[in-house]
Amino acid sequence: GQQLNQSPQSMFIQEGEDVSMNCTSSSIFNTWLWYKQEPGEGPVLLIALYKAGELTSNGRLTAQFGITRKDSFLNISASIPSDVGIYFCAGLPYPYSGGGADGLTFGKGTHLIIQP
Amino acid sequence: DAGVTQSPTHLIKTRGQQVTLRCSPKSGHDTVSWYQQALGQGPQFIFQYYEEEERQRGNFPDRFSGHQFPNYSSELNVNALLLGDSALYLCASSPLGRSRDTDTQYFGPGTRLTVL
């Protein structure tokens, strides 16, 4: 089955720094989603991308759907302490039946740790 | 607007027992997916329910079964529990309709299952 390679596995940064993480696959994905998960909670949707080349922002977060449809990145600008958590990329593979009819494939997550 | 809810929050069972987990989707959503998240890993897709039928299934044995009710809520049943079934079980729901938004899945807080 499809696999998503997410990197880096963990990041130790200073408050105020910008953060960049990415996700790659050997196969095409139709939709890319970025989630944040905190301990003991379910993943919270940050950004959804539906079209190759699409660039979408949500506050200090920006994500892009790669032109090849095999990758996506997430940037966080001016990190703050509450950005701490695990960030997951997830995708819907192509071909798919549409209408939410498929299971998401997840990366292994990027653990973001912010040093004050 | 209530989000995805799951019950119970925590559960402890012994090997060989059976367990039922419950999920209520977000208002306006008709599709429910279930995921298993082992410690330190990304969620793994178990199956998806739409119109009270299993529409797609991931790589999980038949010990994992489910049901969807007319009000769109869903149950996940696991029989003959193994130690390896210990995990966070997540439910996700997707909106009605067949627009691109139906690809977006919203997660509940999860049920932490411990098998002793």
Side-chain angles (χ1 to χ4, degrees):
Chain A
Q2 293 91 349
Q3 287 188 333
L4 293 182
N5 300 306
Q6 189 170 350
S7 64
Q9 191 172 21
S10 58
M11 299 183 74
F12 294 80
I13 64 166
Q14 300 283 337
E15 184 177 349
E17 287 186 7
D18 295 344
V19 172
S20 184
M21 59 190 79
N22 68 79
C23 218
T24 60
S25 171
S26 58
S27 53
I28 292 172
F29 278 74
N30 218 61
T31 297
W32 287 95
L33 306 170
W34 284 92
Y35 292 89
K36 178 187 177 187
Q37 187 174 30
E38 298 186 37
E41 313 251 339
V44 174
L45 182 66
L46 300 174
I47 292 180
L49 302 161
Y50 304 105
K51 193 167 64 174
E54 183 177 354
L55 184 71
T56 298
S57 292
N58 178 9
R60 294 179 294 106
L61 277 62
T62 302
Q64 184 159 31
F65 191 145
I67 291 290
T68 64
R69 300 171 71 183
K70 294 182 179 181
D71 63 339
S72 177
F73 73 74
L74 174 70
N75 289 340
I76 305 173
S77 63
S79 59
I80 59 177
S82 62
D83 290 334
V84 165
I86 303 176
Y87 291 79
F88 287 99
C89 62
L92 279 173
Y94 178 89
Y96 82 124
S97 50
D102 295 87
L104 295 171
T105 298
F106 277 80
K108 292 189 175 181
T110 293
H111 194 174
L112 181 61
I113 299 159
I114 298 176
Q115 299 163 332
Chain B
D1 178 23
V4 179
T5 60
Q6 292 186 244
S7 64
T9 54
H10 295 87
L11 206 50
I12 299 175
K13 292 285 188 179
T14 56
R15 280 179 298 174
Q17 284 190 311
Q18 178 263 345
V19 68
T20 298
L21 311 181
R22 295 176 177 82
C23 170
S24 291
K26 193 173 162 65
S27 177
H29 290 190
D30 64 347
T31 302
V32 173
S33 302
W34 286 92
Y35 293 80
Q36 180 194 66
Q37 186 177 24
L39 205 59
Q41 302 293 318
Q44 298 287 318
F45 175 68
I46 303 174
F47 45 51
Q48 184 178 86
Y49 276 84
Y50 172 70
E51 292 188 342
E52 301 179 48
E53 289 190 359
E54 183 182 296
R55 185 156 69 172
Q56 195 189 44
R57 189 178 186 93
N59 189 24
F60 278 80
D62 292 345
R63 298 187 298 110
F64 290 77
S65 64
H67 188 77
Q68 186 178 34
F69 299 93
N71 66 352
Y72 308 127
S73 67
S74 176
E75 288 181 350
L76 164 66
N77 301 295
V78 187
N79 294 323
L81 284 167
L82 304 174
L83 295 179
D85 294 332
S86 294
L88 181 68
Y89 287 85
L90 295 162
C91 168
S93 70
S94 311
L96 289 161
R98 297 194 66 81
S99 69
R100 72 179 195 180
D101 289 343
T102 58
D103 291 343
T104 306
Q105 298 186 15
Y106 297 83
F107 284 82
T111 293
R112 172 71 63 189
L113 173 65
T114 302
V115 181
L116 302 177

